[in-house]
Structures are given as structure tokens and as C-alpha cells.
């Protein structure tokens, strides 16, 4: 596995080229250009606000600005996650001509797909910063935890993306299963609501690694407090574990890719 990491560093120029290719293909001849990077998060935020409004109507409590900002903060990493997984799952099968004809570390393909989605996340984050400034949310020392939590997000997404990309090459129905899970996954992840909404059952929400990551981000950015240490440790442990599981599985099956694609 460590040999695979060395190869990825050796082929970093190819990684940069494939990442730029994915970005260019995504926005080529698009009328809205880079605004498409904001479209999905904006739709998700609008849906979240609608759900918040419905819950407020039922409970008789008004929708507060903090709740809207919380949705905005958690929607961006969630859309990065689902976009990355969707593109990573198809990355090997969609580039079968490269996989079968020339040698290079095959992990470059799903990694380039994820890096292109990370570019989208960066654009969305810049817009979010403007929104947070207008909302006068303010900053705190706990904001320094945000880059660490984003790193956990990237590690978890990368590991899962590599694992599913390899699985989809051998079992083509994996992509359909992934689509179904991603479609309904938002209802089992605290994106439109806080885990605390479920009281003692909130542990079920944060057992989902994405749930713990999103809750920690919400705490350090929106609530301006130290992320829950237990959730933070859990998020970090599961993210690093998933990254190494994904890398190991992908590397161990890489020699079989060309003959099974």
C-alpha cells in the first residue's frame, strides 16, 4: 500500500492533468459556467429551509437565522461527499480505454474525480464565507478546527470512493445501490436538522461518520464552540480507517482491473 502511495506521488503530474480535465469537461459549454458549482448546494439549502419552515409550523416556533446558517454550513460538505462518490464510482469503468491500454496507478482516476469535486467545494465555500459575513455570525478560536474536520471529510470520502470504484468494476450493480443510498442518505444524516433533535437517540445520527463530521463542523463554525471530543475522535478514527481500507483494497485488486473491466 505504501508503494502505491509512492507511485501516486510519482504520477502527480498525471493526477493534475486528469483533475483539470474533469473540471474542464464539467464546465465546458455550460452557460452558467462555475455557477453550476453553486446550483446543487443552493437547491439543497432551499429544500432544507422548506423542511425547517414545515417543522417550525408544526411546532409553533419561528425559523431562526442560526438554523438556516447551520443548514448552509452542513449542505456544502454533504454535496461534496455525494458528488465525489458518484464520480469516483464510475471513474474506472468510464475510463476503460486508459485502464486497459497504458500503465499508471489506477487510483489516480477516482482521486482526480474527488479533487475536481473539492474544487467545487472551494468555490461554494467562498460564497458561504460572504453569506456568513452578511449574517454577522462572527468567528471564534474554535474555527481553527474546521480545516482538521474538512481533512477528515476528504480522507473518509477518498477511502470510500476508492473502495466503491474498485467494487463497481467487478460488480456493475454497485453504482445503482450507491445511487439509492445517496438519494435517501440525507434523511439519515443530520444535514437539515441537528443530531440533538433526537434527544437520547442522537448517538444513532453521529454513528454515521458523515453525521459526526457535519455536527463537528456545525459546532465550530455556527455554534462557535469546541467540537464534541467524542464525535471528533470518532470522526477522525473512522475517516483514517476508511482511507487505509480503501487504499489497501484498491491496491490489492488493481492487477485484476484490466482483465475484468
Amino acid at each position: 500500500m505504501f508503494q502505491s502511495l509512492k507511485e501516486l506521488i510519482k504520477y502527480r503530474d498525471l493526477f493534475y492533468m486528469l483533475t483539470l480535465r474533469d473540471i474542464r469537461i464539467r464546465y465546458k459549454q455550460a452557460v452558467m459556467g462555475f455557477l453550476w458549482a453553486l446550483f446543487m448546494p443552493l437547491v439543497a439549502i432551499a429544500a432544507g429551509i422548506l423542511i425547517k419552515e414545515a417543522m417550525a409550523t408544526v411546532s409553533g416556533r419561528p425559523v431562526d437565522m442560526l438554523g438556516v446558517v447551520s443548514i448552509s454550513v452542513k449542505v456544502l460538505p454533504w454535496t461534496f461527499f455525494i458528488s465525489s462518490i458518484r464520480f469516483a464510482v464510475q471513474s474506472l469503468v468510464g475510463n476503460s480505454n486508459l485502464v486497459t491500454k497504458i500503465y499508471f496507478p489506477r487510483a489516480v482516476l477516482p482521486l482526480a474525480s474527488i479533487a475536481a469535486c473539492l474544487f467545487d467545494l472551494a468555490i461554494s465555500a467562498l460564497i458561504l464565507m460572504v453569506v456568513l459575513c452578511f449574517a454577522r455570525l462572527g468567528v471564534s478560536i474554535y474555527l481553527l478546527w474546521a480545516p482538521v474536520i474538512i481533512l477528515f471529510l476528504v480522507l473518509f470520502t477518498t477511502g470510500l470512493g476508492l473502495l466503491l470504484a474498485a467494487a463497481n468494476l467487478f460488480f456493475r450493480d454497485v453504482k445503482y445501490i450507491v445511487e439509492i443510498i445517496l438519494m435517501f442518505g440525507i434523511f439519515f444524516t443530520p444535514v437539515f436538522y441537528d443530531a440533538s433533535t433526537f434527544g437520547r437517540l442522537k448517538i444513532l445520527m453521529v454513528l454515521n461518520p458523515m453525521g459526526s463530521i457535519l455536527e463537528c463542523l456545525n459546532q465550530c463554525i455556527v455554534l462557535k464552540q469546541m467540537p464534541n471530543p467524542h464525535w471528533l475522535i470518532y470522526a477522525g478514527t473512522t475517516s483514517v480507517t476508511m482511507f487505509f481500507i480503501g487504499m489497501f483494497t484498491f491496491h490489492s485488486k488493481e492487477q485484476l482491473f484490466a482483465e475484468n473491466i
Side-chain angles (χ1 to χ4, degrees):
M1 184 177 66
F2 291 104
Q3 182 64 31
S4 178
L5 290 173
K6 289 181 180 179
E7 280 196 324
L8 286 173
I9 295 174
K10 181 180 177 181
Y11 283 84
R12 59 185 179 275
D13 290 337
L14 177 61
F15 167 73
Y16 297 146
M17 290 176 60
L18 289 175
T19 301
L20 288 174
R21 183 203 66 173
D22 287 349
I23 293 173
R24 287 169 180 164
I25 289 175
R26 193 171 305 175
Y27 298 112
K28 186 178 181 181
Q29 295 180 338
V31 176
M32 292 177 62
F34 291 119
L35 290 178
W36 280 110
L38 305 176
F39 181 73
M40 186 173 178
L42 286 175
V43 171
I45 290 171
I49 294 173
L50 185 64
I51 292 174
K52 278 280 186 181
E53 183 65 37
M55 293 173 64
T57 302
V58 173
S59 64
R61 298 176 181 177
V63 177
D64 60 322
M65 177 57 69
L66 206 61
V68 174
V69 173
S70 177
I71 291 174
S72 303
V73 168
K74 291 191 286 187
V75 156
L76 297 188
W78 174 254
T79 53
F80 160 75
F81 172 73
I82 62 175
S83 298
S84 297
I85 296 301
R86 281 193 177 114
F87 284 113
V89 166
Q90 289 280 56
S91 60
L92 294 177
V93 176
N95 291 279
S96 57
N97 56 329
L98 293 177
V99 174
T100 56
K101 291 182 180 178
I102 59 175
Y103 173 78
F104 63 94
R106 305 302 194 255
V108 168
L109 293 171
L111 290 178
S113 299
I114 294 171
C117 293
L118 191 60
F119 175 79
D120 291 346
L121 176 63
I123 294 177
S124 302
L126 291 175
I127 304 300
L128 177 63
M129 289 173 61
V130 175
V131 173
L132 294 179
C133 289
F134 276 106
R136 297 181 179 180
L137 185 65
V139 296
S140 70
I141 189 66
Y142 301 114
L143 189 63
L144 295 175
W145 279 104
V148 177
I149 301 169
I150 292 296
L151 176 62
F152 292 161
L153 170 68
V154 174
L155 288 175
F156 179 76
T157 304
T158 300
L160 186 59
L162 288 170
L163 183 65
L164 293 175
N168 186 59
L169 188 144
F170 294 101
F171 309 101
R172 299 301 169 86
D173 50 351
V174 167
K175 64 180 179 182
Y176 302 114
I177 298 173
V178 169
E179 279 296 326
I180 294 172
I181 293 175
L182 292 179
M183 183 183 301
F184 296 102
I186 196 168
F187 299 108
F188 299 94
T189 310
V191 180
F192 294 153
Y193 53 83
D194 297 329
S196 58
T197 304
F198 290 84
R200 290 181 299 176
L201 295 178
K202 67 181 180 182
I203 187 65
L204 297 178
M205 296 295 104
V206 294
L207 280 178
N208 172 358
M210 280 301 298
S212 58
I213 289 172
L214 296 182
E215 284 296 297
C216 287
L217 274 177
N218 186 59
Q219 288 175 335
C220 70
I221 296 176
V222 180
L223 302 181
K224 292 183 284 187
Q225 63 187 35
M226 171 69 188
N228 185 299
H230 297 98
W231 298 355
L232 191 63
I233 293 172
Y234 178 75
T237 303
T238 53
S239 298
V240 173
T241 302
M242 178 56 72
F243 176 76
F244 281 107
I245 289 175
M247 286 291 296
F248 176 78
T249 304
F250 193 96
H251 179 65
S252 63
K253 301 297 182 182
E254 190 170 357
Q255 294 180 344
L256 304 175
F257 288 173
E259 62 186 76
N260 284 278
I261 201 165

